[in-house]
Amino acid sequence: MKRLSQIFGSRMFTTNPGTCLAAPSASRLALALVFVAVLLAPAASAKLPNIVIIYADDLGEGDLSCYNPKAAYETPRIDRMAAEGIRFTDAHSPSTICSPSRYGLFSGQQIYRSTGGGGGAFEGPGGPSYLKPGTVTLGDMLRKQGYRTGIFGKWHVGLTWLDKDGKRLGGGFENSLLIDYEKSTPLVDGPNARGFDESFVTPNCPTTDPLYVYIENGMVPVPASLRHDPGTLPNHGGKWRWDNDAGWKAPGYEFVKADQLFYDKMSDFITGHREENPEQPFFAVLSTQIAHAPVLPSPEFEGTTKAGPRGDFVSELDSIVGRVLDLLKEQGIDDNTLVLFNADNGAETVHVDWMREDHNHDPVAGRRGVKRDAWEGGHRVPFIARWPGNIPPGQLSKQATNTTDIFATLASAVGYPLPDEVAVDSFDMLPAMLGARDDGDPIRPYLVTQSFLGEFQIRQGDWKYLDHKGSGGNDYDKGILAKYALPELEPEAPGQLYNLANDPGETTNLYFKEEAKRLELQALLKTFKEDGRSAPRGRTPYAAKTGS
């Protein structure tokens, strides 16, 4: 809310009570009426924004033309979104694999807080959820602020499935046939039990990891009963169907137009909500399949770029982002909707190799590493925010940020004071978004990520310490990644230390040469683990701090 002195002028608000009393009675009455009206009427700036998160899959910085001027195609709608808001150039996923990163998005915490280590990606009826009972989620927090919440697309943080005897099933494709849907649903740890009013999701990667079913508001309308044959799907270029697993699916399950379906469901949620409760703010997550393997662009996008099937696939994602923004304008809520675009980790191994070899396109923009790896290419991701009238356009931020920060940032935007025990790894990026925090004044004192194997990396300024040898994920001794292997200059070192300002390619391990800095980062990492949090205590919404 604006300060009253901003509305009426500073002279009205004085420590001398006689100033107003000295006015003529009619003026005094009129002024009093205006004063009361302002207090009782909700100020426009106090109106809670609608919030949309578009959460892409396996998308590196180099996959968007606003990040990569050498990209083999253009992403005009995402580029425009960035131009109309803020683009972060030092943004990171919490993990280099999807399920732990999604836990980070919804909880504001590293997967370490849930498992005491790392976390893999679920397959089949894998679970239970990384979001344990009692974990306050992003949806929970926004519902407390009066939001209607919905999620559409990929869920993939684990679910509890039961067999006919009520026993919890583990992962594995064959276990899909053992699910007793009557006993399993409504799902005890699905989206509707974790802060979302409406949901239409898939349990795992929508087109990669069976179980291939849709979950709508905790229920499974059509159980998996058919064996999926990957050969029934297009295999563009003879290779881009890679990683479409045979498994059990529901009749009518959609592979090729997965994200078009998810968009339609989100659109229905927004338009329906606007018709029924136009004054209530909403929160919607569109969790896409693109650009995860297999690469299955919708037919209308085939051949739309000169960068092959994956270029067409990302072009489809760009179009969907445009459709979301267009929908907000059609609904007349564009100026009061905060839209965030982010991704769960870097680009896939073979995707990076094939795009480099076939189209001179680098999804990780020259960085070392890919999905699963602890090097920058595994977790450096796009992060864009747009909120007309609030986030100044054309901003570029070098603030180091993690997907976990979305939680505190949204809490700040909606005026919710975060309890210390909630979102313990989440920092408020709203000051940077609003142009009120200079890059030279870091919001984060340090930043932690975890690799596919759950191993830790910590950043402080230009320094990055990896608490392990090697990639933390992929094997560079053989296969297509062998050509990208770099010699280890300190083979005896149990960890890695790089100065990213001088060595952005993470080529020269300074583990022994910069002992003081390495010990400092090791101590910080120890504190991160032992304190049970990395975020500051007593977090206050930014608007409350400024009085605006």
Side-chain angles (χ1 to χ4, degrees):
M1 181 181 293
K2 293 182 179 178
R3 295 184 183 91
L4 293 176
S5 60
Q6 291 177 295
I7 300 173
F8 292 101
S10 60
R11 291 183 63 187
M12 174 183 169
F13 296 90
T14 175
T15 55
N16 180 5
T19 302
C20 289
L21 293 175
S25 58
S27 298
R28 199 163 60 240
L29 177 60
L31 189 60
L33 291 173
V34 171
F35 182 83
V36 171
V38 169
L39 288 179
L40 294 180
S45 61
K47 186 177 181 181
L48 291 173
N50 303 301
I51 299 168
V52 175
I53 296 176
I54 303 170
Y55 197 49
D57 205 328
D58 290 7
L59 196 78
E61 261 193 338
D63 280 322
L64 304 179
S65 50
C66 57
Y67 279 93
N68 180 12
K70 297 180 180 179
Y73 50 82
E74 294 185 351
T75 49
R77 295 309 303 270
I78 298 174
D79 294 0
R80 180 178 169 185
M81 178 184 168
E84 294 173 344
I86 186 168
R87 176 167 62 91
F88 288 85
T89 60
D90 198 0
H92 301 262
S93 57
S95 173
T96 61
I97 194 73
C98 49
S99 296
S101 284
R102 286 159 201 279
Y103 168 82
L105 170 66
F106 296 127
S107 71
Q109 303 175 160
Q110 287 293 139
I111 190 63
Y112 178 78
R113 309 302 182 194
S114 177
T115 65
F122 294 102
E123 297 177 334
S129 178
Y130 286 145
L131 295 166
K132 295 179 179 179
T135 302
V136 177
T137 69
L138 199 50
D140 289 328
M141 181 270 291
L142 290 169
R143 288 210 310 195
K144 289 179 182 179
Q145 291 299 91
Y147 280 74
R148 180 95 179 149
T149 60
I151 181 169
F152 310 92
K154 177 178 175 177
W155 179 240
H156 213 190
V157 288
L159 294 166
T160 296
W161 300 94
L162 306 176
D163 66 12
K164 61 182 178 59
D165 299 318
K167 180 181 177 181
R168 186 179 69 81
L169 292 165
F173 301 150
E174 298 304 325
N175 278 352
S176 297
L177 290 182
L178 301 179
I179 295 173
D180 186 310
Y181 290 92
E182 186 173 345
K183 284 186 168 63
S184 299
T185 57
L187 288 157
V188 297
D189 47 7
N192 293 68
R194 294 295 185 267
F196 290 95
D197 295 305
E198 294 188 31
S199 64
F200 184 90
V201 299
T202 61
N204 305 320
C205 294
T207 64
T208 302
D209 303 321
L211 170 77
Y212 297 128
V213 295
Y214 299 123
I215 303 167
E216 190 163 16
N217 295 325
M219 306 300 290
V220 179
V222 184
S225 60
L226 300 176
R227 184 71 173 179
H228 170 60
D229 176 9
T232 61
L233 299 179
N235 190 20
H236 301 289
K239 60 185 179 183
W240 285 100
R241 193 177 59 211
W242 176 84
D243 206 22
N244 173 233
D245 293 332
W248 297 97
K249 68 177 180 179
Y253 190 85
E254 179 61 70
F255 287 88
V256 174
K257 293 187 176 183
D259 286 319
Q260 302 294 335
L261 173 62
F262 300 149
Y263 167 80
D264 288 343
K265 293 293 183 179
M266 189 188 77
S267 176
D268 290 345
F269 166 75
I270 292 174
T271 55
H273 175 73
R274 292 284 302 159
E275 289 174 1
E276 296 175 8
N277 299 291
E279 298 305 313
Q280 181 187 18
F282 66 82
F283 168 53
V285 179
L286 178 60
S287 181
T288 75
Q289 157 72 8
I290 303 171
H292 197 287
V295 173
L296 299 170
S298 295
E300 61 267 35
F301 290 93
E302 292 180 21
T304 54
T305 72
K306 295 180 180 180
R310 192 172 181 277
D312 299 342
F313 210 28
V314 177
S315 179
E316 181 176 358
L317 174 64
D318 183 71
S319 171
I320 289 173
V321 172
R323 291 178 69 188
V324 171
L325 298 176
D326 290 344
L327 175 64
L328 299 176
K329 288 186 177 181
E330 292 165 6
Q331 290 291 316
I333 53 176
D334 179 62
D335 60 348
N336 193 43
T337 303
L338 170 57
V339 183
L340 304 178
F341 181 93
N342 191 222
D344 63 355
N345 48 250
E348 180 60 86
T349 52
V350 297
H351 287 191
V352 173
D353 183 57
W354 294 343
M355 291 302 288
R356 284 173 173 171
E357 295 289 331
D358 298 348
H359 301 289
N360 195 31
H361 172 85
D362 190 357
V364 297
R367 304 189 188 280
R368 187 181 185 186
V370 293
K371 176 181 178 179
R372 301 180 190 84
D373 292 339
W375 299 311
E376 291 292 286
H379 52 82
R380 187 78 74 110
V381 293
F383 184 34
I384 299 167
R386 178 185 182 273
W387 187 9
N390 292 275
I391 296 177
Q395 289 191 93
L396 198 67
S397 177
K398 296 180 181 178
Q399 289 276 356
T401 182
N402 190 307
T403 297
T404 57
D405 297 337
I406 288 175
F407 202 121
T409 302
L410 294 184
S412 186
V414 303
Y416 182 84
L418 282 175
D420 287 344
E421 69 275 11
V422 173
V424 300
D425 298 312
S426 190
F427 288 74
D428 181 7
M429 290 291 148
L430 190 62
M433 291 181 179
L434 299 182
R437 185 76 172 248
D438 186 80
D439 286 348
D441 185 11
I443 292 174
R444 276 184 159 274
Y446 65 90
L447 181 149
V448 171
T449 55
Q450 291 178 258
S451 70
F452 174 66
L453 299 178
E455 295 173 313
F456 288 94
Q457 306 81 46
I458 185 167
R459 269 278 309 282
Q460 185 187 51
D462 293 325
W463 290 96
K464 177 180 178 182
Y465 171 68
L466 293 77
D467 197 35
H468 55 88
K469 287 188 171 187
S471 74
N474 294 298
D475 183 358
Y476 282 75
D477 291 331
K478 57 185 179 182
I480 63 169
L481 294 180
K483 71 180 86 170
Y484 303 113
L486 298 178
E488 174 54 70
L489 303 181
E490 298 288 359
E492 302 303 316
Q496 302 165 69
L497 179 67
Y498 302 106
N499 185 304
L500 297 181
N502 302 327
D503 182 22
E506 298 172 275
T507 63
T508 304
N509 187 357
L510 302 174
Y511 184 94
F512 295 118
K513 292 181 180 179
E514 296 286 350
E515 181 181 15
K517 177 55 67 175
R518 185 246 302 167
L519 291 174
E520 179 184 354
L521 293 179
Q522 287 174 329
L524 273 177
L525 185 56
K526 185 172 183 287
T527 299
F528 166 86
K529 295 178 181 179
E530 293 180 351
D531 281 5
R533 67 182 303 104
S534 61
R537 298 182 184 276
R539 289 165 292 182
T540 304
Y542 180 70
K545 293 178 187 176
T546 61
S548 59

